[in-house]
């Protein structure tokens, strides 16, 4: 009975999503990064914005390639979209602004990192560190606001609907 009730409430929750939710801006993300001292959390916030990623998806990244011109390629092997058999494994690409390139490159190539291990400590996907970093800038921000804001920013720049849907 309990399992059935939980499933019913989950369906109701998905059907009745909140409206007029906040969307993070580029300025919000940069401010959160500026206020953050933890290099791993800074990289996490950058990748959430650049890939318009869900917190869990970013936490499960294992590798990324950053080219000199700022092109970022990230294979997605685990996450919400990969559970869909028609999607499976895929690669996201993005462009890293010049002010983030050196820091992200250093994070990707930091000493002691094992090649196929997760990039981020597991706690980042479970605890409130990411949300707390965002809320230092704006108390209404959430991880969902980062994804929403990133997608809205890309749409405003003329990115095609097909590319937006891939993110």
């Amino acid at each position: 009975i309990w399992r059935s009730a939980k499933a019913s409430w989950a369906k109701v929750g998905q059907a009745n999503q909140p409206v007029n939710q906040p969307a993070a801006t580029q300025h919000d993300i940069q401010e959160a990064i500026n206020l953050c001292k933890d290099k791993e959390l800074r990289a996490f916030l950058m990748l959430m914005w650049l890939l318009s990623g869900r917190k869990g998806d970013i936490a499960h990244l294992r590798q990324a390639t950053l080219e000199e011109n700022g092109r970022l390629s990230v294979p997605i092997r685990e996450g919400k979209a990969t559970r869909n058999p028609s999607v499976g494994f895929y690669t996201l690409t993005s462009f890293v602004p010049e002010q983030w390139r050196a820091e992200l490159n250093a994070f990707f190539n930091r000493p002691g990192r094992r090649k196929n291990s997760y990039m981020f400590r597991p706690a980042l996907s479970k605890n409130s560190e990411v949300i707390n970093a965002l809320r230092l800038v704006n108390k209404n921000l959430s991880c969902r606001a980062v994804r929403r804001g990133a997608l809205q920013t890309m749409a405003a720049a003329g990115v095609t609907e097909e590319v937006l849907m891939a993110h």
Side-chain angles (χ1 to χ4, degrees):
I1 294 172
W2 177 250
R3 198 173 323 171
S4 177
K6 282 180 65 175
S8 294
W9 279 108
K11 287 180 185 177
V12 169
Q14 288 175 347
N16 298 297
Q17 291 293 315
V19 294
N20 300 322
Q21 292 293 299
T25 64
Q26 289 174 288
H27 177 74
D28 292 333
I29 299 303
Q30 187 62 61
E31 283 298 308
I33 290 166
N34 291 346
L35 292 171
C36 185
K37 303 294 182 233
D38 181 341
K39 291 180 181 184
E40 188 172 4
L41 185 54
R42 289 169 60 90
F44 196 96
L45 291 169
M46 289 176 196
L47 290 175
M48 276 186 71
W49 179 260
L50 293 170
L51 301 172
S52 56
R54 296 173 184 90
K55 183 169 111 169
D57 293 348
I58 300 301
H60 287 104
L61 294 178
R62 293 178 182 266
Q63 64 188 66
T65 305
L66 179 56
E67 297 174 14
E68 217 172 281
N69 65 0
R71 185 175 193 272
L72 175 68
S73 299
V74 181
I76 307 295
R77 299 182 189 285
E78 298 176 53
K80 185 176 180 180
T82 60
R83 291 185 202 125
N84 180 344
S86 67
V87 176
F89 163 78
Y90 60 100
T91 300
L92 284 179
T93 58
S94 188
F95 178 79
V96 179
E98 198 165 331
Q99 71 265 22
W100 292 354
R101 288 181 197 167
E103 186 171 351
L104 272 180
N105 196 40
F107 179 76
F108 295 154
N109 299 304
R110 66 193 181 277
R113 176 163 147 43
R114 292 192 311 238
K115 186 171 179 160
N116 282 318
S117 63
Y118 291 122
M119 281 190 209
F120 300 100
R121 61 184 179 269
L124 284 178
S125 69
K126 297 176 178 82
N127 66 26
S128 59
E129 286 180 82
V130 177
I131 293 170
N132 291 342
L134 294 168
R135 290 189 176 158
L136 287 174
V137 174
N138 179 337
K139 65 180 177 68
N140 297 317
L141 292 181
S142 65
C143 293
R144 185 173 281 182
V146 175
R147 182 169 163 75
R148 180 178 291 109
L151 289 168
Q152 288 177 1
T153 300
M154 290 191 320
V159 172
T160 66
E161 190 173 319
E162 181 182 80
V163 171
L164 293 173
M165 294 296 285
H167 280 260

